[in-house]
């Protein structure tokens, strides 16, 4: 069974930073596309960032471009999301995801983490 465990969420003031981590097990990590999604109350789960298996290509939601950076360390089976210049609208539960094909949205994801809460106060 694939397991994805997120950490690093918390409460920060607007303009602050957080780094989320996701440690994967039960899969050949270096062969998987990885992504970060978020879901606010009563909102759909949305793709925030994704990264290819080698780390050579990335995708970002327009609203986080220039503020968030996705990266991975295949030797540690870990994907990261560095979040800078946080805004209240970034408040959500953030979920790590792993997929055997490129990540285009939540419906295709086969493996999810449990989520970590990020709260940004004004």
């Amino acid at each position: 069974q694939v397991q994805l465990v997120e950490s690093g969420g918390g409460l920060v003031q607007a303009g602050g930073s957080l780094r989320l981590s996701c440690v994967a097990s039960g899969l050949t990590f270096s062969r998987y596309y990885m992504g970060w999604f978020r879901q606010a109350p009563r909102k759909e789960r949305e793709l925030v960032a994704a990264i290819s298996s080698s780390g050579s290509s990335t995708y970002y939601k327009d609203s986080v471009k220039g503020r968030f950076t996705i990266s991975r360390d295949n030797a540690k089976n870990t994907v990261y999301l560095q979040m800078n210049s946080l805004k209240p609208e970034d408040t959500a539960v953030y979920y790590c995801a792993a997929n055997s094909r490129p990540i285009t949205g939540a419906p295709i994801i086969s493996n999810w983490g449990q989520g970590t809460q990020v709260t940004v106060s004004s």
Side-chain angles (χ1 to χ4, degrees):
Q1 170 77 352
V2 174
Q3 186 174 14
L4 306 173
V5 181
E6 302 100 329
S7 62
L11 195 160
V12 297
Q13 292 190 180
S17 298
L18 285 173
R19 188 177 77 155
L20 306 184
S21 299
C22 171
V23 180
S25 60
L27 78 170
T28 304
F29 183 78
S30 62
R31 297 178 63 184
Y32 276 74
Y33 296 84
M34 301 296 296
W36 288 96
F37 290 75
R38 67 187 182 190
Q39 188 166 27
R42 286 166 261 106
K43 298 276 192 172
E44 292 185 352
R45 191 169 297 188
E46 63 180 4
L47 177 62
V48 177
I51 189 167
S52 62
S53 57
S54 69
S56 62
S57 63
T58 57
Y59 163 86
Y60 297 96
K61 177 179 172 64
D62 284 346
S63 63
V64 310
K65 287 180 179 176
R67 300 189 297 121
F68 290 11
T69 302
I70 188 170
S71 62
R72 65 191 296 160
D73 185 340
N74 285 351
K76 296 182 177 180
N77 281 19
T78 302
V79 63
Y80 304 94
L81 186 67
Q82 178 67 47
M83 304 186 294
N84 299 326
S85 302
L86 282 161
K87 303 175 180 180
E89 51 262 47
D90 296 318
T91 295
V93 177
Y94 283 70
Y95 296 91
C96 179
N99 205 68
S100 61
R101 306 196 313 274
I103 293 172
T104 57
I108 72 162
I109 298 301
S110 53
N111 302 287
W112 294 100
Q114 82 287 352
T116 185
Q117 177 71 48
V118 171
T119 303
V120 184
S121 65
S122 59

